[in-house]
Amino acid sequence: VGSLARTDENFHPYHHFEPAYVQDAAYHQGIVWTWLNGPWITAAVQFGKSDLAYTVTDNMVHQILDRGAVGTLSELLDAAPRPGELEPRLSGTFSQAWSLAEFLRTTYRSYCGISFDARERHVSISPRLPSALPHVRCTIPLGRERIRVELRAQPEGGVVRLNTEDCLGPVQFALNFPVNGTQTRSCFFELQPGHDVTVTLTAEG
């Protein structure tokens, strides 16, 4: 997600391009701020474009695993590759907390659709998984307690597996899974500690 349209007369494709201009001239005039991927991914998923959003997430995974400091994301990237290069150069600080935070937030909140109120012990799961990521395992922290979650998308619905073995008290769940592209199947229940439950939601119910 660039900071300025390429058609703008002030567009700067590279962060460091001395002596043509100083780096601050490009800071908000074209180069990519990695954390801005997060709000864009969230918006795309909300409008039913999970697969399109995942193309950006997949590029972030490539950066985390294969570029720069392994396991994290840089602050910035050039807006375009330099002549003769295949990828835009990383720039800014080599590890930026808010860039990585947005990667994690969109994975949990946008794709897995997980939100929770630890005080009220209420968990809501409304997944919008992209086709490239049909099976996800994750953990929800409730203070010192943990809820293990497994999501599996199916052609006409999905499967949610919940494990409360590491919980100290009951937890309320609200599940909402898309079926047939336009419909949603929902269910609400409470789980006591020490349970492992699988819920299948389909167009039939």
Side-chain angles (χ1 to χ4, degrees), residues 76-95:
L76 311 166
L77 290 90
D78 284 348
R82 310 286 176 107
E85 299 181 11
L86 298 178
E87 295 184 295
R89 292 182 186 177
L90 306 181
S91 192
T93 183
F94 67 89
S95 178

Side-chain angles (χ1 to χ4, degrees), residues 11-204:
F11 175 75
H12 292 64
Y14 313 126
H15 188 200
H16 295 277
F17 201 54
E18 296 82 358
Y21 50 78
V22 297
Q23 67 187 58
D24 281 354
Y27 211 40
H28 300 282
Q29 302 286 345
I31 62 171
V32 172
W33 287 70
T34 313
W35 77 269
L36 287 175
N37 289 342
W40 185 89
I41 289 169
T42 294
V45 172
Q46 287 175 344
F47 282 92
K49 302 294 183 182
S50 294
D51 285 351
L52 177 62
Y54 191 73
T55 62
V56 177
T57 299
D58 192 46
N59 184 268
M60 295 170 78
V61 171
H62 169 54
Q63 293 177 52
I64 290 170
L65 297 179
D66 304 319
R67 303 192 67 195
V70 175
T72 190
L73 288 163
S74 65
E75 177 186 12
L76 311 166
L77 290 90
D78 284 348
R82 310 286 176 107
E85 299 181 11
L86 298 178
E87 295 184 295
R89 292 182 186 177
L90 306 181
S91 192
T93 183
F94 67 89
S95 178
Q96 185 64 274
W98 58 62
S99 299
L100 194 58
E102 282 299 289
F103 173 80
L104 294 171
R105 183 188 66 79
T106 54
T107 300
Y108 270 85
R109 294 294 299 272
S110 300
Y111 295 129
C112 295
I114 294 173
S115 61
F116 60 89
D117 184 328
R119 187 174 185 177
E120 298 296 328
R121 305 185 65 78
H122 180 272
V123 175
S124 177
I125 304 176
S126 303
R128 296 292 184 271
L129 299 177
S131 57
L133 196 69
H135 183 205
V136 177
R137 290 190 182 104
C138 59
T139 302
I140 301 173
L142 290 177
R144 295 182 179 180
E145 303 170 66
R146 297 289 183 268
I147 301 170
R148 289 192 288 276
V149 178
E150 184 174 355
L151 305 172
R152 192 181 298 271
Q154 295 181 339
E156 295 186 357
V159 176
V160 181
R161 181 179 178 185
L162 302 166
N163 184 296
T164 58
E165 290 180 1
D166 297 327
C167 291
L168 301 176
V171 181
Q172 296 178 347
F173 290 91
L175 307 183
N176 303 281
F177 222 108
V179 296
N180 293 333
T182 57
Q183 298 178 322
T184 300
R185 283 288 177 262
S186 303
C187 65
F188 308 90
F189 55 90
E190 182 176 274
L191 279 185
Q192 297 295 324
H195 281 68
D196 191 314
V197 173
T198 299
V199 179
T200 302
L201 299 170
T202 67
E204 287 73 30

